Amino acid sequence: MNSPSVDAPLVQSARRRGLSGPQKRQVRTFFLALGYLAPSLIIFLVFIFIPLVRTFWLSSYITDPIGRPAMFVGLMQYKKLFATPVFMNSLMRSLTFVLYTVPTTLLLALILASLANLRLRFISIFRIIFSLSIAVSGATASLMFMYLYHPSIGSINYLLELIGITPIPWLVSESSALPAVSLVSVWLQLGLNTVILLAAMQSIPDELYESAMIDGANGWSRFVHITLPFLSSTFFFLLIVDVLAAFQTFTPIHIMTSGGPLESTNLLVYSIYREFYFNGQYGFAAAQSIMLFLIMLGLTIFQFTVVERKVFYE
Amino acid sequence: MKRSLFALMAVLTVLSMVLAACAPAATQAPASAATQPPAATAVTNPTATIAPPKSADAVKIAFWHSMAGDIGGKAIPTMANEFNASQDKCYVEPIYQGSYDDSLNKLKAGLQSKDTPAVVQLYDIGTRLMVDLKVITPVQDFIDKEGYDLSDLEPNVLAYYTVDGKINSMPFNTSTPMLYYNKDLFKAAGLDPEKPPRTFVEFEEAARALTTKEGDKTTVYGGAFAIYGWFFEQFLAVSGGYYVNNNNGRDGYATEATFNSPEGVAIFDWWKRMVDEGILANYGRKTVDTRNAFIAGQTAMFIDSTAVLRGVMDSVAGKFEVGTAYLPRPNEAAYETAGTIIGGGSLWIINNRPQEEQDCAWEFIKFQASPAQQSYWQTMSGYFPIRKAAYDEQLTKDWVAKYPQFQTAIDQLHIAPNNRVTQGGLIGVFPTARQTIETAIEELLAGKGTSQEILDKAAEAVTQSLSEYYVSMGIQP
């Protein structure tokens, strides 16, 4: 680009020579592919890249309560992120939340999928039950759990009392609110995880199990040596999706706790929402969004470079 | 090949999820309420529909409201239909926009894209912000133009919405908090069910007497307060305390939070003392959770808006007798000097709509303020009428006869003196301030410091928000 004088003759000579047949075909294929991709590329551009750029732009301003930029402040909002505890606290809570939810979801989904994969009569009924939470919206599930968690009239505490355990102030206490919300999140993710794992299990060729059985492998070793390795790529996919979903959990928080009590459930995305829509701190919220984006990008790169090496592809 | 395809798919999924989350420019707002408007009954099927306009030439106006449940599903469409049928120049279309916060957020977005309603219902605490944004036409302009008679309207209600000497929005749904109590439990505890507690000390003593235990387990709590900033504001007002300086921000812009006064500290101490003793339950921030505990007979007294009376009565359904009383004051003398603040919402006319739409908006506002409509509205919702003539309507008379508990709400409004304390704080960052107080109460109950320390910290945060607000709005207080 710096030396057009050097490049120009090359281009000219290329033109003079003309493109060879295969090259022409490549160019044509490229544009054809672009044509096919155009609808999604345009959507990507309009709904994702432009907002991203706008978010970055907004993060360098102080705004009025309607969100109109009022004063350019450069990187001040980012300094504020690290100077005040708001951001770091909600980041730590989000990480805790990921730790609470993702391994639990994967483990439970694996157990449910293994059960659903058994060849029994009417197994499809169980498959439907196990995957039912896909059909329930986050808001509905949150409302359901709110009733279950109610400190005095909720069924969970009623059952606990029947077996002699002191009632837990689920959503009211600082220490139990995050686990309580995590449970809802796990419940919501479980259906999808189970279905995907089940589908992966069913795509494992029967011959492998048959020959393992001939070799005298028992159920457990068939599971460990055949099923699990075959599931690793699916696990990897679910791990990424679940971590991202956990980082972005919003609905249960908004409906059940509004980030409280004592900020104990004020996860990153909820904190962004609150600063943006509620406190009118548009620039600060935009800066938080950019940080969230960078964190998740970093996490994803880490997963692809480090974790992916351990994955077995068919 | 399969491997790279998979990687590509995963990368795309990841990117789209990450980036979609980072697009706060989108205006979509979530479904539920962060601040709960004191809407009453549980959500049932909205039934009424809006009839088409009588004349094709009618000026169409949009009316955004935040009334859920029966009130929004039935009462509001009925009122709109009656207005549309009463004349053929204007046609109003009510649109439910979610909670007040959601509605305000949509309005903020709409102001930039010119997608605004002619009339919007917003909460009391949005008043200063709406005036400062300069996006409204004060109803005072219309009142002056046609000499609209205000003498029948409740003076305390008008005073709340009077800013800089002008009535900026027309009150629509007004309420105050009151004490609800279970008369059967009063009798069982040996208390006189016709003499509910009037002061903080009496409340504490009653709560102690009402609390019943089986072994270690508390079966009935004497009382319960939801952690709701509005209740603190009200307790402060009945204690004669100011929320912010410059006489609650009503004699010039408020620059400093003052709720960390001895009055505020006394409220915090009282609240904490009762929770620590185990005679006041804490069911968290959601007022509905506290209400449900009362309905289930697990708490004998609680505080809530007058607007939920009908919902409470319907849910209790005669299982026990419900009594209502004034919000407790720190002492008897306070009944003379202080009182509750008007809560609820009012109707605003947005000034970027064409003049003819604004004129229609005013016509609609006048219609809803008429005695017959206010009476209907009150009996449907439990908010109290904004004008005195509504009490002469048969509908209201019947209703008060059926729910004598409602008389408390009316009396409480009328005994409150009209002064800077009972007019309540006026600040542009009220939603933030309310949330700061709610966090402060949580800190208090969790024992994170003394009442004074916690309130000082909260006051400092609100003062800081105020100064940021003025900078961003270009206001020099």
Side-chain angles (χ1 to χ4, degrees), chain B residues 282-352:
Chain B
N282 168 23
Y283 297 111
R285 289 193 188 199
K286 308 256 184 241
T287 51
V288 65
D289 285 345
T290 304
R291 197 149 67 229
N292 284 338
F294 176 78
I295 291 164
Q298 291 175 343
T299 182
M301 300 185 284
F302 81 116
I303 303 285
D304 210 330
S305 164
T306 52
V308 304
L309 174 68
R310 191 173 171 171
V312 169
M313 298 301 292
D314 290 351
S315 305
V316 170
K319 272 182 293 180
F320 55 83
E321 214 183 326
V322 179
T324 57
Y326 297 151
L327 192 72
R329 316 296 205 246
N331 49 53
E332 277 297 327
Y335 278 90
E336 303 300 320
T337 54
T340 48
I341 308 167
I342 299 300
S346 64
L347 302 182
W348 299 84
I349 299 177
I350 304 299
N351 68 9
N352 71 359

Side-chain angles (χ1 to χ4, degrees), chain A residues 48 66 150 152 161 262 277, chain B residues 19 26 105 217 289 298 442:
Chain A
I48 294 176
I66 320 189
H150 190 283
S152 68
E161 268 180 83
L262 281 176
Y277 282 112
Chain B
L19 293 169
N105 285 328
K217 192 179 164 311
D289 285 345
Q298 291 175 343
E442 285 171 350

Side-chain angles (χ1 to χ4, degrees), chain B residues 5-16:
Chain B
L5 252 180
F6 171 78
L8 186 71
M9 182 180 78
V11 167
L12 283 177
T13 316
V14 166
L15 271 177
S16 60

Side-chain angles (χ1 to χ4, degrees), chain B residues 34-36 125 177 225-237 243 259 267-268 271 284-287 341 430-442:
Chain B
T35 304
Q36 312 133 1
I125 57 173
F225 296 162
I227 298 177
Y228 186 17
W230 189 52
F231 297 156
F232 175 78
E233 292 152 30
Q234 297 285 353
F235 281 131
L236 189 68
Y243 199 74
F259 50 69
I267 296 162
F268 263 40
W271 194 323
R285 289 193 188 199
K286 308 256 184 241
T287 51
I341 308 167
F430 221 131
T432 312
R434 188 171 271 184
Q435 210 174 48
T436 307
I437 285 288
E438 284 163 5
T439 305
I441 298 170
E442 285 171 350

Side-chain angles (χ1 to χ4, degrees), chain A residues 44 47-49 51-52 54-55 62-68 70-71 80 146-147 150-153 161 167 172 174 233 236-237 240-241 244-245 248 250 254-258 260-263 269-270 272-274 276-282 285-286 289-290 292-293 296-297 300 304 308 311 313-314, chain B residues 2-3 6-7 9-35 101-102 105 107-109 111-112 123 129 133 135 217 227 282-286 288-290 292-293 296 298 431-432 435 439 442-444 446 448 465 468-469 471-473:
Chain A
F44 205 66
F47 289 102
I48 294 176
F49 275 121
L52 180 69
R54 225 186 100 85
T55 305
I62 285 181
T63 62
D64 73 0
I66 320 189
R68 290 176 297 211
M71 197 202 295
K80 195 172 153 193
M146 260 173 78
Y147 276 102
H150 190 283
S152 68
I153 57 173
E161 268 180 83
V172 182
E174 190 188 354
S233 64
F236 177 58
F237 172 74
I240 296 171
V241 172
L244 295 180
Q248 295 175 15
F250 176 83
H254 186 53
I255 292 179
M256 299 173 77
T257 64
S258 306
L262 281 176
E263 313 288 317
V269 174
Y270 190 75
I272 292 171
Y273 159 78
R274 215 162 64 173
F276 192 87
Y277 282 112
F278 203 77
N279 293 342
Q281 304 276 339
Y282 298 84
S289 305
I290 295 291
L292 175 66
F293 166 64
M296 286 169 62
L297 192 69
T300 311
F304 270 104
E308 201 207 11
V311 172
Y313 287 96
E314 226 178 297
Chain B
K2 197 161 185 182
R3 184 193 159 109
F6 171 78
M9 182 180 78
V11 167
L12 283 177
T13 316
V14 166
L15 271 177
S16 60
M17 286 174 77
V18 171
L19 293 169
C22 298
T27 54
Q28 146 255 12
S32 127
T35 304
D101 286 318
D102 292 340
N105 285 328
L107 185 71
K108 286 175 183 175
L111 285 167
Q112 298 189 53
Y123 44 21
L129 176 67
L133 285 175
V135 297
K217 192 179 164 311
I227 298 177
N282 168 23
Y283 297 111
R285 289 193 188 199
K286 308 256 184 241
V288 65
D289 285 345
T290 304
N292 284 338
Q298 291 175 343
T432 312
Q435 210 174 48
T439 305
E442 285 171 350
E443 287 176 359
L444 173 81
K448 304 271 167 171
S465 303
E468 284 171 12
Y469 172 79
V471 169
S472 73
M473 293 288 282

